[in-house]
Amino acid sequence: MEKETYALGFPIDKRYAIIGLEKNIGKTTVLNWISRIWAKNAQTTFLLSIGRDGEEVDVLDARPKPRVDLPKGNYALSGERVLTTPALLEVIEVFPFETAAGRPILVKAMEDTTIELINPGGLKNLTEITDRFLGERVCDRVLVDGAFNRLSHAQWTVADYVLLVTGAEAQGTFEEILERTVYLVERLEKLSCAPEWRKRIEETIQPDSRLILFPKGGKPVAFAETLLQNPKMITQMENAEAVYLEGALTQGVAEKLLQEKIETDLIVRDGPCIQVDYGLFRRMQARGLRLSVLYPIPVVGIFVNSFGARRSFINDRMRQELKRRLPSHPVFDLFEVTEIAKK
């Protein structure tokens, strides 16, 4: 598939999260490439982050980081303490609350420039802001520099679609990185629960529901506590036809469910809530603890960075293996994308 045609085929009025298998793997490179493609074709993008991105040096590990490009006409959410090119930016809105980078500021680029992106004080603020700007048609798409972990993930309220970056910078052997990448895609989009369960859960769930039991032949029972807060609830799952967990399914909780020989349909909100490794996931499925998600998130592209600080993958091997394992997904070489963006 021609890469520019691929990028221009993304639906508008949607949110796209770019996530990496690990830190420093190439997410910002993909963000810069795809926002430039859209801008070149008169499609505007609103850029923001679930953390902080675009600084010259990572504030956590002091590693150099690529700058975030903001093409002319595009929007970004930054902070009043980190704006470095104010002369090239039009301030659209200043939000009346504080973050670590000061008050969040929505800006529009008057010329091509660079920008630091921030999280506007949590996922609730992030989703409210992006919902409003898409609803008001301020921009064509939202592009979030994201992550895949329990605290700052590409959950369904943040992302309609996901772009995934993987490669040599990740920990583990070639085979382990390959399996982790395939498993991540599986968690995000391939574990959708049955439509009838989604309907029943959406009809039952309340703002304070953390766990819902569906007893065989009985009415659903909602709890305000999680299994981590009250592990004794596990014994009540023995006769449940299905169980819905609002929060994350951790490695420890999953092990406890297996120890208690719980067999049921275990449904979580979305893929990022599944915080168990591949081996444990397979053990759960094999022993009757059937795991699925309420809201799958499509992965619309995978980018492979074959060059890392410690090693490189040769002969396009990772991309070819991912194309074989995930034949319905576009898989691109990150270096090729970077070269095309420079032309």
Side-chain angles (χ1 to χ4, degrees), residues 18 31-32 34-36 38 44-49 68-71 74-78 105-107 115-118 130 139 141-145:
I18 302 175
L31 181 144
N32 287 339
I34 203 163
S35 66
R36 283 196 296 265
W38 290 341
T44 56
T45 310
F46 176 27
L47 306 177
L48 68 167
S49 173
V68 171
D69 295 334
L70 185 64
N74 276 10
Y75 298 84
L77 192 72
S78 190
I105 300 177
L106 173 68
V107 297
I115 193 82
E116 282 196 37
L117 304 177
I118 69 163
T130 56
C139 58
R141 300 180 186 87
V142 171
L143 194 54
V144 182
D145 197 320

Side-chain angles (χ1 to χ4, degrees), residues 153-165:
H153 36 68
Q155 62 175 242
W156 74 279
T157 56
V158 173
D160 298 299
Y161 300 95
V162 159
L163 298 160
L164 170 62
V165 188

Side-chain angles (χ1 to χ4, degrees), residues 40-95:
K40 188 173 73 172
N41 288 272
Q43 298 177 0
T44 56
T45 310
F46 176 27
L47 306 177
L48 68 167
S49 173
I50 51 77
R52 180 177 172 184
D53 290 282
E55 66 273 33
E56 292 185 6
V57 177
D58 194 302
V59 295
L60 296 178
D61 59 17
R63 294 178 63 171
K65 295 187 63 174
R67 302 305 302 270
V68 171
D69 295 334
L70 185 64
K72 180 180 178 180
N74 276 10
Y75 298 84
L77 192 72
S78 190
E80 59 185 343
R81 296 180 190 144
V82 298
L83 286 177
T84 56
T85 57
L88 301 179
L89 301 169
E90 176 187 357
V91 174
I92 305 297
E93 185 172 351
V94 180
F95 294 89

